[in-house]
Amino acid sequence: MGTWQIVDQPQNCTPLPGVWSYQVKRYRDGNVSKYKAQWCARGDMQMPWEYNNTYSQTSRFAAVRMIIATAAQEGMELHHWDIQ
């Protein structure tokens, strides 16, 4: 399925501990439809110098629409960068 990929641990990092979360999904009549499991990392155990590695900037759709509308009204060009 390609869900997991085993990689080497970086030398200067300690893996975060975590817990498994299990759920049983049921149909309306009470019969079991599926079992779900999820690994949840304990982010509260993260070291302060590792905080910068987990930042993911997001924006609201309304803000993006406003920027596009303003650029179109003023005849400006928009550029997009995908930073990894």
Side-chain angles (χ1 to χ4, degrees):
M1 290 184 124
T3 304
W4 300 94
Q5 180 181 9
I6 298 176
V7 296
D8 293 329
Q9 176 182 332
Q11 292 182 6
N12 59 347
C13 292
T14 304
L16 291 176
V19 296
W20 279 101
S21 171
Y22 300 103
Q23 290 182 329
V24 178
K25 297 293 184 173
R26 298 182 181 272
Y27 293 116
R28 288 186 178 164
D29 62 3
N31 291 329
V32 175
S33 78
K34 59 184 161 182
Y35 298 97
K36 295 182 81 173
Q38 179 179 4
W39 174 256
C40 300
R42 297 241 350 244
D44 60 324
M45 303 287 289
Q46 191 173 10
M47 296 297 160
W49 57 85
E50 295 174 342
Y51 291 155
N52 294 333
N53 296 334
T54 61
Y55 179 72
S56 177
Q57 184 176 358
T58 60
S59 59
R60 299 184 91 157
F61 185 66
V64 174
R65 283 182 47 189
M66 182 200 61
I67 292 169
I68 293 172
T70 303
Q73 188 176 23
E74 300 294 324
M76 304 167 95
E77 288 186 21
L78 291 177
H79 299 274
H80 173 264
W81 293 279
D82 187 14
I83 301 172
Q84 296 184 13

